[in-house]
Amino acid sequence: MYLRMTWVFILSTASILDMTGCLPDKHLLSWLKPNPINILTLNAPPYFDSDLPQKMVTNLGDTAFLKCKVINLRNRMVSWLKTDPLQIISTGMYTFIKDPRYSSEYMEEENTWVLRITKVEYEDSGMFDCQVNTDPLMTYTVSLKVVKKDYRQFLNDAPQYAADPSVKILGGYEHLVKVGSVLNLTCVVTTPTSYNQMTRWLHNDRIVTPKTGVSLLSENTPHTSVSCLIIHRVQHRDAGSYVCAAGDIGHDMAVVGIIEEATPVKSFLTYDMLIPFIVLLSISSLIIVLGIIRSVARNSEEVDSCSRRKTDV
């Protein structure tokens, strides 16, 4: 009677197995799970361990590990395939794909088959099937999604430093600009909370507004606001004090001085005068040289004449 009840229980358990070979955990008693001394699993059909994740997300360039655990595999083979496009990757420990980034491994301690993909690329995303050569085939599908690395997830758990509110005009207090050049004053407003106020510029206590030749640019982030005052062609009237005012946060001031552009000294020789000047200089040099030669020749004649007179005496 006891033997008959045992066989009825085994048959009812086998009927629960689905077509993929998976046995729901709620129907799998703890004493029936695989263990070294459980002889009831020796003749049981293989099935997949459904506790392993079937959706994997890996950062671009990292290594992906797709895992498949088969219980009661015995003498059957495990193969990895990619479904779209259909491609056989490995069977057992043998890898057929030519891409050296793919390799099949077996973790004996965990009884798990692993498909390793190193330096994953976006093209590696897709569905991968872990198949067991039963009749019909058993399939365990694992999806892989390759995403761009988000460095924000690596922020430590330490409290973030909250910057003190500040208003700063870059470049120092004094700015010297040549007449006709471009003046660019940049003001950075830093706040620990979100900044929603408008940054205003004042020139000699008068509010600056955009107009021809004057531009105001701004860019806001959650904790920083940058405002730029650009004067495209500086004139003497643009000299004076400039204030960047950020509401209740504060203000900063800079002084702009206008300097005259140095006028280069013009040469008294122009290109049209250069050639005649060179010719004149050459003729003058020739005349001087001829004069020197003539003077030397005359001195030589006088010396010869004096020598002759002495000889006659």
Side-chain angles (χ1 to χ4, degrees):
M1 180 68 179
Y2 177 77
L3 183 61
R4 182 180 299 175
M5 292 179 63
T6 301
W7 277 108
V8 170
F9 176 78
I10 294 174
L11 292 175
S12 61
T13 302
S15 63
I16 301 175
L17 291 171
D18 56 15
M19 294 302 294
T20 62
C22 294
L23 184 64
D25 293 339
K26 64 181 181 179
H27 296 291
L28 189 61
L29 301 179
S30 59
W31 59 271
L32 192 59
K33 290 183 178 181
N35 58 79
I37 62 174
N38 189 354
I39 61 174
L40 291 177
T41 60
L42 292 178
N43 295 322
Y47 62 93
F48 294 109
D49 184 356
S50 59
D51 293 335
L52 294 177
Q54 292 185 263
K55 295 182 179 181
M56 302 295 297
V57 179
T58 306
N59 291 326
L60 180 68
D62 289 352
T63 300
F65 298 93
L66 309 184
K67 297 183 178 181
C68 171
K69 187 173 184 178
V70 185
I71 311 300
N72 295 331
L73 181 63
R74 295 195 297 276
N75 59 345
R76 295 180 175 86
M77 297 293 294
V78 174
S79 301
W80 282 101
L81 297 86
K82 188 173 184 180
T83 58
D84 188 17
L86 183 59
Q87 190 174 21
I88 300 176
I89 299 175
S90 65
T91 297
M93 302 295 292
Y94 298 97
T95 303
F96 299 103
I97 192 171
K98 294 182 180 180
D99 194 336
R101 299 180 301 113
Y102 286 76
S103 62
S104 178
E105 303 174 1
Y106 176 64
M107 303 171 61
E108 187 174 359
E109 295 180 357
E110 301 180 9
N111 192 27
T112 302
W113 293 87
V114 180
L115 176 62
R116 178 198 295 262
I117 310 174
T118 60
K119 298 180 180 180
V120 292
E121 303 172 354
Y122 289 120
E123 293 75 10
D124 296 322
S125 300
M127 309 298 291
F128 294 83
D129 287 343
C130 173
Q131 290 187 354
V132 180
N133 59 337
T134 55
D135 188 16
L137 287 173
M138 293 171 49
T139 302
Y140 185 80
T141 303
V142 182
S143 66
L144 173 63
K145 183 178 181 181
V146 180
V147 298
K148 185 177 181 180
K149 184 176 294 185
D150 185 5
Y151 292 96
R152 291 176 296 178
Q153 62 181 325
F154 298 103
L155 294 175
N156 56 35
D157 297 331
Q160 295 185 359
Y161 170 74
D164 295 330
S166 64
V167 181
K168 183 68 176 177
I169 297 179
L170 303 182
Y173 176 74
E174 186 176 3
H175 297 252
L176 297 178
V177 187
K178 293 181 180 180
V179 174
S181 61
V182 177
L183 172 63
N184 186 348
L185 296 177
T186 301
C187 179
V188 179
V189 180
T190 304
T191 60
T193 58
S194 179
Y195 180 75
N196 297 321
Q197 302 182 24
M198 179 181 296
T199 302
R200 295 184 179 275
W201 285 94
L202 290 86
H203 175 218
N204 295 333
D205 298 330
R206 294 183 179 181
I207 296 177
V208 179
T209 57
K211 58 183 179 180
T212 303
V214 178
S215 301
L216 291 176
L217 306 177
S218 62
E219 181 177 357
N220 297 325
T221 61
H223 303 288
T224 305
S225 176
V226 180
S227 178
C228 296
L229 168 61
I230 302 175
I231 301 177
H232 299 276
R233 190 174 180 85
V234 173
Q235 302 297 329
H236 288 284
R237 64 176 179 271
D238 298 319
S241 63
Y242 287 82
V243 176
C244 174
D248 299 334
I249 299 175
H251 66 275
D252 193 21
M253 185 175 68
V255 176
V256 175
I258 309 300
I259 58 177
E260 291 288 347
E261 186 174 1
T263 304
V265 179
K266 294 184 179 180
S267 175
F268 70 94
L269 289 177
T270 63
Y271 180 77
D272 295 335
M273 297 173 58
L274 184 61
I275 294 178
F277 177 77
I278 294 176
V279 173
L280 180 61
L281 183 61
S282 300
I283 295 173
S284 300
S285 301
L286 182 60
I287 293 172
I288 294 172
V289 170
L290 292 175
I292 294 173
I293 294 174
R294 185 177 180 182
S295 176
V296 172
R298 182 180 298 174
N299 291 336
S300 299
E301 290 178 356
E302 291 179 356
V303 171
D304 291 341
S305 177
C306 291
S307 298
R308 291 173 183 174
R309 289 177 183 176
K310 289 180 181 180
T311 303
D312 294 339
V313 174

